[in-house]
């Protein structure tokens, strides 16, 4: 090991629930609220693993049910991409984004202490303000990327700002995005 201290980072799971809408492909987003990071910004339903015994697919299925009320069969979960992110404050994390196209139920706000709205939005016309990390994941997903780096700088906004877009797509082994 080089350096001194081993580097560890939190692991997030993100739901990209996709449906065909009247204006094309739509994605499910929730608006963060209360005493949470990025309150007032739109974000994908997401969360963290409940300890070392929970795998990423189980965590996604659980978080989806807890946050939106949607019931997802683990067999319907598809790996979309991974984003290595650093916030403006310097904290880094790894986000695993999953696509789901089939579920049971209708989305609803299930955790009003951390979310005050939920809705479907055209993937090509995302609402503002939106968490920059989440927007980077969706932009990379739309580009067909499997891996992206989104390292924000001190002073960058938590909300997506086109002039400070820090998304870097890492080409896959085929050389495509």
């Amino acid at each position: 090991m080089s350096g001194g201290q081993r580097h560890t980072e939190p692991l997030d799971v993100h739901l990209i629930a996709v449906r065909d809408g009247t204006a094309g492909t739509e994605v499910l987003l929730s608006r963060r609220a209360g005493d949470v990071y990025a309150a007032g910004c739109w974000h994908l339903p997401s969360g963290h693993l409940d300890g070392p015994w929970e795998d990423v697919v189980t965590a996604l299925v659980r978080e989806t049910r807890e946050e939106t009320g949607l019931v997802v069969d683990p067999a319907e979960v598809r790996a979309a991409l991974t984003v290595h992110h650093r916030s403006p404050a310097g904290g880094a994390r790894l986000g695993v984004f999953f696509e789901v196209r089939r579920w049971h139920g209708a989305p609803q706000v299930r955790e009003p202490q951390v979310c005050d709205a939920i809705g479907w939005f055209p993937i090509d016309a995302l609402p503002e303000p939106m968490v920059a990390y989440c927007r980077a994941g969706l932009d990379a997903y739309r580009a067909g990327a499997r891996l992206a780096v989104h390292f924000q700088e001190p002073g960058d906004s938590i909300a997506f700002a086109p002039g400070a877009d820090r998304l870097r797509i890492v080409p896959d082994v085929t050389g495509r995005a």
Side-chain angles (χ1 to χ4, degrees):
M1 179 172 80
S2 62
Q5 181 179 357
R6 183 172 293 240
H7 186 70
T8 60
E9 296 178 350
L11 180 63
D12 303 328
V13 293
H14 301 261
L15 171 70
I16 304 174
V18 179
R19 74 175 190 183
D20 294 326
T22 56
T25 302
E26 295 178 334
V27 63
L28 183 66
L29 299 173
S30 61
R31 189 172 56 207
R32 300 178 59 78
D35 188 23
V36 297
Y37 181 80
C41 291
W42 292 93
H43 196 282
L44 292 165
S46 62
H48 308 281
L49 278 66
D50 270 353
W53 55 88
E54 186 175 49
D55 66 75
V56 292
V57 172
T58 301
L60 180 80
V61 168
R62 176 185 51 76
E63 287 286 353
T64 298
R65 186 183 65 256
E66 289 174 0
E67 290 187 19
T68 71
L70 298 178
V71 177
V72 173
D73 181 335
E76 297 295 333
V77 175
R78 301 290 180 261
L81 80 141
T82 302
V83 177
H84 190 197
H85 168 72
R86 182 183 64 209
S87 73
R93 57 196 332 101
L94 200 62
V96 183
F97 290 69
F98 295 95
E99 178 189 274
V100 174
R101 292 183 176 264
R102 292 175 45 163
W103 54 82
H104 298 284
Q108 56 186 294
V109 173
R110 298 277 305 241
E111 296 179 323
Q113 70 280 12
V114 296
C115 170
D116 66 2
I118 194 165
W120 294 99
F121 296 89
I123 198 162
D124 295 324
L126 298 170
E128 294 182 11
M130 185 168 205
V131 176
Y133 170 31
C134 175
R135 175 63 187 260
L138 284 172
D139 287 348
Y141 168 78
R142 288 178 25 217
R146 304 294 291 157
L147 178 65
V149 175
H150 184 254
F151 269 32
Q152 292 182 284
E153 298 293 332
D156 282 355
S157 171
I158 292 168
F160 173 74
D165 184 12
R166 307 281 183 202
L167 177 62
R168 181 168 48 96
I169 293 174
V170 178
D172 67 20
V173 295
T174 65
R176 66 179 198 111

